[in-house]
Structures are given as structure tokens and as C-alpha cells.
Amino acid sequence: MTRKKTQPQILRDSEGAPAFAVLPHAEYERLVRLAEDAEDLRAARAALEEDFRADLIPAAIVHRIAAGENPVRVWREDRGLKAVALARAAGISPAYLSEIETGKKDGTFRTMTAIAACLGVSLDDLAPALSDEERLAREYTQRINRVRAQIRLIEQLVTGRTDFSTGAVRRAAEALAADAEVLLQEDASLEDWLRAVIQGTDQIRRLVDQAEGDIIETAESARRTLEDVVALETFRAPPKPEELTALPPRVSAAE
């Protein structure tokens, strides 16, 4: 249910053009809260989109880094930068940059942050190529973190101070259910948590359907019921810390 907005009082200048908009203080505070909630949602969505960054990296760069070339050099050459120009922009000497690119020295966090900013990439993009085992472990952890981020997004959509949108809740629940199903097939050790998540998303979608079909009188009443669902400990509980770094058990070809 969308809250009716308070119309501001418009103050005009000497020529009759709008100069100021005067709002009741309560309405001003509401707009500030909406802006804060919008920023929280933006951050949550950014976290979800992080998993797709690899898809945006040109294949040539991926292949070169996977073959063992230094990521700084690969990205620098892709950007068409001379080593001297990158070193100057990052505030380091060309000799220091050369040592980083040849693997003789590891750049400090501040140095690598500066280089990443100059190249327009993330620090992760400048990390050396991972072994197959390390890559699998990182991808596994990213999938778990993606599910956790989606849970936080649904909580924000349901319990946040923004205007309630049943469509946004449904889309988020469907995405969460799909990812939870994939992760469940990969690692049965997370079954209790993921089953609770999947059941929660099913209930959320049913309630949203009821709200939109006027079975529940208003969307606000659906929201209050949804708050009970997302507050369940079994729905919100993340995996144990040791499960975030452990690889799922391998399945042999015979199985």
C-alpha cells in the first residue's frame, strides 16, 4: 500500500519562479529515511552483482592471467598505458612498478589500491591466478555469500522503511530460491539451512500472490505477516564459519 505523499508549499522568487519547497518536518524526515533505505538497497544489489564481474572481463585478459602473466601488466597493456604513465598516475616509481609486474615484489595494499584505481579495476582483478582448488573454494564461498546477501535484501524490502513493493519481494524471493536450490545440490551439509530458506521463499511468494489477489486485505497486512517469516532464525541463520571455506564433497564418476 503506497503512502499518500504530503504536497510541499512552494515559495516563489520575485519573478514568480519556484525558489523553495517547504515540507512538514515529519515529511522531511520520511524523505531522509527513504534516501537512506535506497542507499542500503543499492549496496545490497551491488553485492549481488559482484558475482557477475568475471563475465564482464574480456576472455583475452582471463586467459593471459590464467596462463601466469602478472595481472597488473595484463590490465595495463589492455588499457593502452605505458609503464611510466601508470607509475606516475599511481604515485610510484617506474622501477617499483616493474618489480611488481615481474613478481619480484608484492605491492603494498596502498600501492595496489592506487594501481587498481588508475586501471579502473578492483583489487580482486589484480590478484594472481588461483589454482583450481583455490578457485573452487572462492566460487563456493561466493555462492554462499550471494545467498546471504539475497536474504538481507529481502529483509530490507520487507522490513525497511521504503514503500512496500510486492513485485520486488517476489523477484528477490525467486532469485534466492533458485540459488539456494543450486547450492543445495552442491553441498548437502547445508541442507537444514537451505531447506529452511527455500521453504521461507515459498511462503513469501504465496503471501505475495495472496496480497496481489486481494485475499489478504492490504499489502500492509501481508508485509506484517512476511516480517514473521523473515524473522525466523532458521531462515536467517548463516552457515557456520568453517563451512564458508570448506569445499563441498566431491562426487566420483562412479556415483
Side-chain angles (χ1 to χ4, degrees):
M1 180 173 62
T2 303
R3 181 182 183 276
K4 184 178 180 180
K5 307 299 187 300
T6 301
Q7 295 298 320
Q9 178 184 1
I10 304 300
L11 301 182
R12 302 179 180 275
D13 59 21
S14 59
E15 297 180 355
F20 299 96
V22 180
L23 291 170
H25 189 262
E27 180 69 6
Y28 165 77
E29 289 185 332
R30 189 185 73 84
L31 293 176
V32 170
R33 289 195 300 269
L34 287 176
E36 292 172 348
D37 287 342
E39 178 60 23
D40 290 342
L41 289 176
R42 185 205 63 77
R45 291 191 176 100
L48 296 180
E49 293 168 0
E50 184 65 22
D51 290 342
F52 300 103
R53 281 186 51 80
D55 295 336
L56 305 178
I57 299 176
I61 292 179
V62 174
H63 294 324
R64 288 181 63 184
I65 294 176
E69 292 190 56
N70 184 273
V72 174
R73 172 173 289 173
V74 172
W75 280 108
R76 174 177 62 77
E77 292 177 353
D78 177 76
R79 297 298 194 252
L81 288 174
K82 297 292 186 180
V84 173
L86 176 58
R88 184 182 299 115
I92 61 176
S93 68
Y96 185 21
L97 177 62
S98 176
E99 289 177 319
I100 292 174
E101 291 191 347
T102 55
K104 294 179 180 179
K105 285 188 177 179
D106 294 326
T108 64
F109 177 79
R110 178 176 295 182
T111 296
M112 298 306 292
T113 300
I115 291 175
C118 294
L119 294 173
V121 299
S122 71
L123 279 175
D124 286 343
D125 291 330
L126 298 184
L130 301 175
S131 66
D132 289 344
E133 198 74 9
E134 292 171 328
R135 179 179 55 79
L136 289 173
R138 172 175 288 189
E139 291 174 353
Y140 175 65
T141 300
Q142 287 176 340
R143 283 192 288 276
I144 291 179
N145 287 339
R146 176 180 170 85
V147 169
R148 296 176 66 188
Q150 287 171 317
I151 291 174
R152 292 194 298 272
L153 175 59
I154 292 177
E155 289 178 337
Q156 183 64 45
L157 290 171
V158 171
T159 65
R161 292 183 292 267
T162 55
D163 290 340
F164 182 55
S165 169
T166 54
V169 173
R170 176 189 286 106
R171 289 190 295 271
E174 290 173 348
L176 173 56
D179 284 344
E181 288 281 6
V182 172
L183 190 56
L184 178 59
Q185 294 176 9
E186 180 180 357
D187 188 358
S189 69
L190 301 178
E191 182 171 5
D192 290 345
W193 173 51
L194 294 174
R195 287 294 183 197
V197 169
I198 294 169
Q199 291 172 4
T201 58
D202 288 342
Q203 188 175 357
I204 286 172
R205 285 180 286 181
R206 285 197 301 271
L207 288 168
V208 166
D209 289 341
Q210 289 176 349
E212 293 180 342
D214 292 328
I215 296 176
I216 295 178
E217 292 183 359
T218 65
E220 274 301 319
S221 64
R223 179 175 183 166
R224 289 192 294 271
T225 307
L226 288 170
E227 288 176 352
D228 294 335
V229 176
V230 299
L232 292 175
E233 187 63 28
T234 53
F235 180 75
R236 301 179 59 197
K240 297 178 181 178
E242 59 267 21
E243 293 172 338
L244 295 178
T245 56
L247 284 171
R250 294 182 180 275
V251 179
S252 66
E255 295 175 336

